């Protein structure tokens, strides 16, 4: 079924989106200097920095920073604003939100597989799928903003010196890949929501597995056999049979062999031989 294929794609891409986003979020290789050139900058991640003799511009003390540290370490208290400008803090915040969005999207997708959580969580299946798609598509949008801002601001020489000696590394690439996976998973879940909403509006809640489809087919076959076993006179008219209308509501049909009984009425039958034919101008009354 189309719904099963869409769910499989959404399931796989949701897991891939969370894993790639988590690895890129935690690894320190968003921005890296070329290994064959000497640069005071080593690598930068969202939470980890490696420096090779970095000196803050216009620092009267000319303190040199060497080594790898947590980005919020007290070692970097003097150059905190240089390492983490306003746009960098926004990237950190958006990354946290996108990571939690991917996590919730993956959990909601996983909980659709077991029967017991599905019956409780997906009582209103289209609405739940719409919520899940909003989480995944929202994470994809945040990743798009993160990738755009970080790629553009990494060329700013006021943040890291000699930007031509640095390049965007694989951690940044994993985050971008997670955005594509989140977008694909969110679109598949959104299509599932539209499909199930259409089925519920048409009175068909739909099926989610081959077993349910076979059970539903057997039920329809039993109903069909039961309707065929009923006589035509007693078969309900809503199923396409022929039922006798109640007494007093019978439709007018040609009644052969009966004489007309009301004045001026139009007859479709043939009068019996014993009935006397009226003469010209004589009334039936």
């Amino acid at each position: 079924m189309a719904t099963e294929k869409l769910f499989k794609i959404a399931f796989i891409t949701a897991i891939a989106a969370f894993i790639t986003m988590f690895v890129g979020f935690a690894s320190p290789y968003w921005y890296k200097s070329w290994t064959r050139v000497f640069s005071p900058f080593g690598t930068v991640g969202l939470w980890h920095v490696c420096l090779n003799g970095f000196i803050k511009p216009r620092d009267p003390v000319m303190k040199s920073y060497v080594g790898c540290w947590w980005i919020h370490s007290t070692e970097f208290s003097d150059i905190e604003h240089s390492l983490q400008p306003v746009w960098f803090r926004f990237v950190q915040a958006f990354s946290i939100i996108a990571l939690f969005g991917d996590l919730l999207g993956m959990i909601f997708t996983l909980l659709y597989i077991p029967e017991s959580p599905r019956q409780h969580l997906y009582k209103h299946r289209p609405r739940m799928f719409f919520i899940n798609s909003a989480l995944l598509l929202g994470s994809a949008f945040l990743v798009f903003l993160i990738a755009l801002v970080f790629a553009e601001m990494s060329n700013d020489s006021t943040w890291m010196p000699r930007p031509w000696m640095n390049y965007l590394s694989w951690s940044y690439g994993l985050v971008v890949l997670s955005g594509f996976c989140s977008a694909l998973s969110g679109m598949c879940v959104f299509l599932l929501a539209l499909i199930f909403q259409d089925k519920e509006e048409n009175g068909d809640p739909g099926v989610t597995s081959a077993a349910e489809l076979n059970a539903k087919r057997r039920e329809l076959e039993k109903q069909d056999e039961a309707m065929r076993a009923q006589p035509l006179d007693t078969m309900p008219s809503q199923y396409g049979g022929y039922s006798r209308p109640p007494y007093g509501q019978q439709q007018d049909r040609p009644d052969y062999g009966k004489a007309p009984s009301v004045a001026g009425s139009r007859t479709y039958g043939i009068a019996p031989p014993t009935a006397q034919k009226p003469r010209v101008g004589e009334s039936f009354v």
Side-chain angles (χ1 to χ4, degrees), residues 23-49:
V23 175
F25 179 84
S27 56
Y29 295 98
W30 281 55
Y31 197 53
K32 191 176 183 302
S33 64
W34 295 100
T35 56
R36 295 185 178 182
V37 298
F38 175 77
S39 174
F41 160 72
T43 60
V44 166
L46 293 179
W47 317 104
H48 192 268
V49 179

Side-chain angles (χ1 to χ4, degrees), residues 17-153:
F18 173 73
I19 292 176
T20 52
M21 184 65 194
F22 179 78
V23 175
F25 179 84
S27 56
Y29 295 98
W30 281 55
Y31 197 53
K32 191 176 183 302
S33 64
W34 295 100
T35 56
R36 295 185 178 182
V37 298
F38 175 77
S39 174
F41 160 72
T43 60
V44 166
L46 293 179
W47 317 104
H48 192 268
V49 179
C50 291
L51 300 176
N52 300 322
F54 177 80
I55 299 176
K56 180 181 177 180
R58 302 183 181 88
D59 185 9
V61 183
M62 299 295 290
K63 180 180 178 180
S64 177
Y65 296 87
V66 180
C68 298
W69 306 81
W70 182 44
I71 200 168
H72 294 292
S73 174
T74 56
E75 180 70 18
F76 296 142
S77 57
D78 294 337
I79 58 173
E80 180 180 3
H81 296 290
S82 298
L83 290 178
Q84 302 179 71
V86 176
W87 65 266
F88 191 86
R89 296 180 185 273
F90 272 107
V91 168
Q92 289 176 324
F94 288 168
S95 298
I96 294 173
I97 298 173
L99 180 65
F100 276 99
D102 288 333
L103 176 62
L104 292 176
M106 182 187 68
I107 292 175
F108 289 156
T109 307
L110 288 173
L111 290 178
Y112 186 75
I113 298 177
E115 184 177 358
S116 179
R118 182 172 69 240
Q119 292 177 354
H120 292 83
L121 188 62
Y122 285 87
K123 289 183 178 179
H124 302 283
R125 186 160 41 182
R127 184 178 65 184
M128 195 62 202
F129 275 126
F130 278 128
I131 294 174
N132 196 7
S133 66
L135 289 171
L136 293 169
L137 292 176
S139 298
F141 178 72
L142 290 178
V143 170
F144 171 76
L145 293 179
I146 291 168
L148 185 64
V149 171
F150 193 88
E152 181 65 26
M153 299 306 296

Side-chain angles (χ1 to χ4, degrees), residues 2 16 20 72 119 134 154 160 194 197 202 251 284:
T20 52
H72 294 292
Q119 292 177 354
S154 62
M160 288 295 169
L194 293 178
Q197 184 182 31
N202 294 330
Q251 299 177 354
F284 291 104

Side-chain angles (χ1 to χ4, degrees), residues 151-264:
E152 181 65 26
M153 299 306 296
S154 62
N155 295 321
D156 186 7
S157 59
T158 60
W159 179 52
M160 288 295 169
R162 302 171 185 174
W164 58 88
M165 295 184 178
N166 310 321
Y167 63 94
L168 298 171
S169 191
W170 58 268
S171 297
Y172 172 84
L174 287 178
V175 172
V176 175
L177 180 61
S178 72
F180 283 104
C181 293
S182 298
L184 181 58
S185 180
M187 288 187 290
C188 291
V189 174
F190 184 77
L191 291 176
L192 285 173
L194 293 178
I195 291 172
F196 288 123
Q197 184 182 31
D198 181 68
K199 288 184 177 182
E200 288 191 358
E201 289 177 355
N202 294 330
D204 181 12
V207 293
T208 57
S209 65
E212 294 180 11
L213 179 62
N214 293 331
K216 189 172 183 180
R217 185 183 294 113
R218 287 193 298 268
E219 182 181 355
L220 293 175
E221 289 176 354
K222 290 180 180 178
Q223 292 178 0
D224 188 33
E225 291 177 358
M227 287 189 295
R228 289 180 181 178
Q230 293 179 0
L232 293 177
D233 293 340
T234 61
M235 186 177 295
S237 60
Q238 60 266 28
Y239 293 105
Y242 300 92
S243 60
R244 291 180 178 179
Y247 180 77
Q249 299 182 4
Q250 296 185 3
Q251 299 177 354
D252 294 335
R253 297 181 181 177
D255 195 358
Y256 300 100
K258 292 185 179 180
S261 58
V262 294

